[in-house]
Amino acid sequence: GVDFVLKDIQKSLDCMESVLGALIQYDARNHTDYLDVLRRYLLTECSIQQTAEQMQVHRNTINYKLRQIREILQTDLNQEARVKIYLAYLIRDML
């Protein structure tokens, strides 16, 4: 029933929040675009050059932002972390 669906939605929200919440809050407080930078970085298969080209900034800017993102999310963006983050983006898009 509806309760089952609502519980699933809440679980999905909790999952997304646990992975991306710190970055969402940081962007809101600091008027940064780190959520978008990270998404583009993942979608370009972690290409700094392609991310920079898409965002029309220098690759050093992307490198700086990725260092900040790693610190905010407390992750080294290894493969396992990237998969979790990508799934969190998918959940965010669906909700």
Side-chain angles (χ1 to χ4, degrees), residues 6 10 35 40 49 65 71:
L6 290 176
Q10 189 58 53
L35 203 62
R40 288 173 190 258
Q49 187 61 43
K65 290 181 177 189
E71 193 173 307

Side-chain angles (χ1 to χ4, degrees), residues 35-86:
L35 203 62
D36 190 31
V37 169
L38 182 56
R39 170 177 273 201
R40 288 173 190 258
Y41 177 69
L42 294 176
L43 291 175
T44 60
E45 297 177 11
C46 305
S47 167
I48 300 224
Q49 187 61 43
Q50 285 182 38
T51 303
E53 287 170 8
Q54 285 183 15
M55 301 200 79
Q56 300 179 331
V57 297
H58 195 277
R59 54 183 290 127
N60 289 349
T61 302
I62 299 302
N63 278 318
Y64 169 80
K65 290 181 177 189
L66 287 171
R67 279 195 303 275
Q68 296 293 106
I69 289 166
R70 284 184 188 98
E71 193 173 307
I72 294 162
L73 295 181
Q74 299 179 345
T75 178
D76 60 1
L77 294 177
N78 62 24
Q79 186 174 5
E80 182 182 343
R82 291 193 312 263
V83 169
K84 284 181 185 175
I85 292 165
Y86 186 72

Side-chain angles (χ1 to χ4, degrees), residues 9-23:
I9 291 171
Q10 189 58 53
K11 280 183 194 171
S12 296
L13 276 170
D14 292 346
C15 171
M16 187 271 296
E17 179 67 26
S18 73
V19 176
L20 292 176
L23 202 56

